[in-house]
Amino acid sequence: MAGCSVVVTDPLLWWVGEGGLSYTIDTVRLTIEPRNAVQTGTAVRLRCQVSVSHSNIPNLIHSFQLTRDDVPIYTNNTTEDTVEYKINPARAADSGNYECRVSVKNKAKASNSQKLDVKGLQTPTLHLTTSSPYENEEFKATCSAPEEKGPLIFQFYQSFRTGSPEVIKQLSQGGNSSTATLRLSHIGNCILYCDYEIRLVSGNQKSNSSKKVELIVKGESIESLHITPIINILPSNNLSEGDIIEVVCRVVNPPSNTEVFLTKDKVILKQVRAAALSHKFTVREDDSGELVCKAEWGSVQKETSQRITVRSLFSKPQLTVEPTDIVEGDPFNLTCSVSILDSSKINNETLQYSIFKDNTEVANTATYVTVAQLSASGNYTCNATMAVDSQSALMLSYSPFPVPVSEPVLSVVGGTLFLGKPFQLSCYSQRGTLPINYTLNQPNKPNDIKVVSKRGEKAIFNLTSITQISDIKNILCHAKNKPVSKPHLTTEPRMEDISEGYNMTLVCSVQRGSFPINFTWYSQEKGFLDSKTSRKLKESHSISNVKGDHAGGYFCECTNPAAEPKQSAPIIIGVKMAGWKKGLIAVFCLLFVMAIILFLFYKKRLPKLKKRRTGTLSV
């Protein structure tokens, strides 16, 4: 039976039948034209030819790979048996050992190595930004060889009429040019030139030197250039809020390309490339300070400054509440007030007041009256605005009574979350008395706690990553007021100095906690003593005319909107007896002792008296 075979149309996929298909790579030949050693700039052509014997295989693919010093530089897959690679023009960087490798299916063969030697390097050119620099003035020198390839090492030289050249700068660049910043300190004539070096596998090659450029270094030091600017402030340096001033900076006869800057607190207000500048603006209170006029030419800088003082027209607004002890259901007044500091330019009629609750305006007058109830709780602020300058508004926050923490909102910082990458979450409650404790709960991880003490500030949590978007639903944030720390109870005077008839003060204090704080004092024998609510970390309860029955144990308890009451350690107070009682007891004791002595004396003398009396009677 005759053999048969099937050929797949894709040349890379073959199914071999009973007859079979076979091939072998006979030769791979690499040639360099016109020759292996050429001068720089010559057009070079590398020709790689393969010879393959096969059993009539159609569309056989040859995979060519050309390398220089074992680094691939060219590949091509083709049915042709010859490829060409052109180097036009050839440069020194193209020198090296070339090899052609051809693969056919699962067989490969390489040519003999051919060495290309490109002789000669382009002479570099040197360009200077100035030919007559000042002593120690910085200027730029650029050395370039635009027709060369490869990493070049540039060197800059300085020479004089006598002596050997000196390398003053060496730079390694990946391109074919390099710019150096130079500074010459030798006054007079000197010569600058440059060259470069290229590193090849076969060894380094060095170029010829560039054309020599003669410089004249001026003897006057650059630092002595007269470019110090003059600054004028009109109408005056002493100003009031709302005044318009003009600041003029100028340099007398500056060199070309001089830049003039006006700055304040390291912020550039204006800049020009000219001899002078003028800048007008309306001043505010925070504009007080130094205005600096700076002139810059090359690396030389000179500056002059003047100080302006801006007076406030009115003080920072104050927000007060009456009464200070607010009871639910009672009316209270909020008053926004300022002190007029310059009555010649402003009065109460030119001021506009606004009072806000949680950033929402509730009154456009200086006084706001409302009733103390839960809906009135919030953060109150006030603005005092001068009609001539609406941007000078000032705020002062005030919370007359505790604000419960609202439900926090958890969001991704930046709005975008990428799976598998670290991200940040922000947790924020719109309302609540500060400080606020935010707690982030994650499955199988310890809780992360952040304390926020500034109005409008958010708690930011750093998280590593999540693998699926549903994991974000398992992350929760809780917010609550910061609980008070454990209170500490002390006395005034000291416990060992408490005596009957005097006054005693029980002082209860905490280290931290959200305001307001409720302080309560207790006697272990009598129970409740007193309770006070305060926006301080310390309060006291006084006991007048202390008596003996005031001795015993005392403690205090503190709580705040966090609703976590804390109790102090008890203290034991002993009350000393009053001084007059001590004196009375001493007198009584003295009389008692004297009575005993008299009793003993008479008891001892009585038998003798009786005996003497008996003797008298017997006579």
Side-chain angles (χ1 to χ4, degrees):
M1 181 182 292
C4 68
S5 62
V6 176
V7 179
V8 182
T9 56
D10 188 337
L12 297 179
L13 298 174
W14 296 82
W15 179 79
V16 181
E18 186 177 336
L21 297 172
S22 61
Y23 64 93
T24 180
I25 302 175
D26 299 322
T27 60
V28 177
R29 186 167 178 263
L30 176 65
T31 57
I32 298 178
E33 299 175 356
R35 52 192 169 275
N36 289 62
V38 296
Q39 288 296 317
T40 183
T42 303
V44 174
R45 182 173 59 185
L46 281 72
R47 182 183 177 90
C48 184
Q49 186 175 27
V50 64
S51 175
V52 179
S53 299
H54 56 87
S55 58
N56 198 25
I57 302 175
N59 300 321
L60 191 62
I61 296 296
H62 309 111
S63 297
F64 292 87
Q65 184 185 65
L66 193 65
T67 61
R68 179 180 65 239
D69 297 323
D70 296 328
V71 177
I73 60 171
Y74 174 76
T75 59
N76 191 3
N77 296 324
T78 179
T79 57
E80 302 293 331
D81 62 356
T82 303
V83 295
E84 290 185 352
Y85 177 70
K86 295 181 180 180
I87 306 174
N88 186 20
R91 299 297 178 189
D94 297 315
S95 298
N97 293 311
Y98 288 82
E99 185 180 90
C100 181
R101 184 177 183 84
V102 181
S103 300
V104 178
K105 291 182 170 295
N106 58 353
K107 295 182 179 182
K109 191 168 186 175
S111 69
N112 292 329
S113 177
Q114 294 287 335
K115 182 177 181 180
L116 174 63
D117 187 9
V118 182
K119 297 184 179 298
L121 292 170
Q122 181 188 7
T123 299
T125 58
L126 178 63
H127 174 73
L128 305 178
T129 55
T130 179
S131 60
S132 55
Y134 286 92
E135 177 189 5
N136 292 321
E137 176 191 355
E138 288 185 351
F139 64 96
K140 304 291 186 182
T142 302
C143 189
S144 61
E147 297 178 1
E148 292 297 337
K149 310 173 187 175
L152 307 179
I153 301 172
F154 291 90
Q155 292 181 313
F156 296 83
Y157 299 85
Q158 180 184 20
S159 67
F160 304 96
R161 297 190 183 276
T162 60
S164 302
E166 175 187 0
V167 177
I168 56 175
K169 187 80 69 147
Q170 176 173 302
L171 298 174
S172 297
Q173 296 289 340
N176 51 20
S177 69
S178 180
T179 300
T181 301
L182 303 180
R183 180 184 298 195
L184 304 179
S185 58
H186 182 86
I187 300 173
N189 294 356
C190 69
I191 294 173
L192 293 184
Y193 64 92
C194 70
D195 62 21
Y196 62 91
E197 191 176 87
I198 183 170
R199 294 178 178 176
L200 304 172
V201 174
S202 58
N204 294 355
Q205 290 189 32
K206 194 176 185 68
S207 73
N208 293 327
S209 298
S210 69
K211 183 179 179 181
K212 295 182 179 180
V213 179
E214 186 170 354
L215 278 78
I216 300 176
V217 180
K218 297 178 182 179
E220 182 182 11
S221 173
I222 190 170
E223 282 76 13
S224 65
L225 283 175
H226 300 294
I227 62 169
T228 301
I230 300 171
I231 182 171
N232 292 318
I233 299 176
L234 302 173
S236 169
N237 294 55
N238 296 314
L239 308 156
S240 298
E241 285 182 294
D243 287 348
I244 299 175
I245 67 169
E246 180 180 12
V247 184
V248 178
C249 292
R250 60 189 177 90
V251 181
V252 180
N253 296 324
S256 60
N257 295 324
T258 298
E259 290 184 279
V260 180
F261 299 84
L262 177 64
T263 67
K264 182 180 183 297
D265 299 329
K266 298 183 179 180
V267 176
I268 296 176
L269 303 180
K270 193 170 184 180
Q271 177 265 337
V272 297
R273 190 178 292 273
L277 66 76
S278 175
H279 180 58
K280 289 184 178 181
F281 63 99
T282 302
V283 296
R284 300 174 60 180
E285 180 187 8
D286 54 4
D287 286 326
S288 294
E290 290 274 333
L291 288 173
V292 179
C293 183
K294 178 187 289 187
E296 183 175 287
W297 183 76
S299 62
V300 183
Q301 294 182 350
K302 302 288 184 179
E303 64 180 45
T304 305
S305 65
Q306 282 196 32
R307 183 174 185 84
I308 62 171
T309 302
V310 183
R311 299 185 303 273
S312 297
L313 296 178
F314 57 93
S315 66
K316 183 177 181 179
Q318 300 291 322
L319 185 61
T320 57
V321 59
E322 291 182 0
T324 55
D325 296 328
I326 300 175
V327 179
E328 187 173 4
D330 290 348
F332 68 92
N333 298 342
L334 287 170
T335 303
C336 187
S337 61
V338 299
S339 298
I340 303 297
L341 303 179
D342 191 343
S343 58
S344 64
K345 293 191 175 184
I346 190 173
N347 54 52
N348 278 320
E349 295 180 357
T350 60
L351 284 174
Q352 298 176 353
Y353 295 94
S354 298
I355 297 178
F356 299 83
K357 173 181 173 289
D358 296 329
N359 299 321
T360 301
E361 187 178 46
V362 293
N364 58 4
T365 59
T367 303
Y368 173 63
V369 181
T370 188
V371 177
Q373 53 190 343
L374 184 60
S375 61
S377 296
N379 182 54
Y380 287 86
T381 61
C382 82
N383 284 0
T385 306
M386 185 173 64
V388 297
D389 181 15
S390 61
Q391 298 300 314
S392 63
L394 299 171
M395 288 189 178
L396 178 68
S397 299
Y398 188 85
S399 291
F401 35 85
V403 182
V405 177
S406 61
E407 183 177 353
V409 176
L410 190 64
S411 60
V412 177
V413 176
T416 305
L417 187 152
F418 295 95
L419 296 179
K421 292 187 177 182
F423 63 99
Q424 290 182 317
L425 291 178
S426 71
C427 190
Y428 178 63
S429 292
Q430 186 69 29
R431 300 172 62 249
T433 302
L434 298 172
I436 298 175
N437 277 20
Y438 291 93
T439 304
L440 191 73
N441 302 113
Q442 300 181 70
N444 305 318
K445 290 186 179 180
N447 292 343
D448 192 1
I449 299 175
K450 304 287 185 183
V451 180
V452 169
S453 302
K454 296 180 181 179
R455 177 64 55 190
E457 182 181 358
K458 298 180 180 181
I460 304 298
F461 297 92
N462 296 313
L463 291 87
T464 54
S465 64
I466 59 175
T467 56
Q468 49 190 7
I469 198 64
S470 60
D471 292 345
I472 198 74
K473 298 180 181 179
N474 299 323
I475 301 176
L476 302 175
C477 180
H478 303 282
K480 64 179 181 180
N481 289 110
K482 188 174 183 179
V484 293
S485 59
K486 183 175 181 179
H488 181 60
L489 184 63
T490 58
T491 63
E492 294 179 0
R494 296 179 303 173
M495 287 190 291
E496 57 267 27
D497 296 332
I498 296 174
S499 302
E500 286 182 316
Y502 291 90
N503 296 337
M504 174 179 70
T505 301
L506 300 174
V507 180
C508 187
S509 61
V510 294
Q511 294 294 322
R512 59 189 177 275
S514 298
F515 296 130
I517 300 174
N518 181 262
F519 296 85
T520 306
W521 291 265
Y522 295 90
S523 166
Q524 290 181 332
E525 289 76 19
K526 300 177 182 179
F528 172 82
L529 296 177
D530 191 13
S531 180
K532 294 181 180 179
T533 299
S534 172
R535 300 185 67 83
K536 301 177 183 178
L537 296 175
K538 179 171 69 174
E539 278 296 345
S540 60
H541 167 68
S542 296
I543 300 175
S544 58
N545 192 21
V546 174
K547 299 179 181 179
D549 60 356
H550 285 123
Y554 292 84
F555 66 92
C556 70
E557 184 179 86
C558 296
T559 186
N560 68 349
E564 293 184 18
K566 299 287 179 66
Q567 226 177 66
S568 72
I571 60 174
I572 305 299
I573 296 177
V575 179
K576 295 181 179 179
M577 190 177 297
W580 66 269
K581 289 185 178 181
K582 293 180 181 179
L584 185 63
I585 292 174
V587 171
F588 175 79
C589 291
L590 182 61
L591 292 175
F592 181 74
V593 170
M594 291 178 65
I596 292 176
I597 293 173
L598 288 174
F599 174 76
L600 294 175
F601 175 78
Y602 282 110
K603 185 178 180 180
K604 184 177 181 181
R605 296 285 297 174
L606 187 60
K608 293 182 179 181
L609 290 174
K610 287 183 177 181
K611 186 176 181 180
R612 184 180 297 177
R613 186 177 297 176
T614 303
T616 304
L617 291 174
S618 61
V619 173

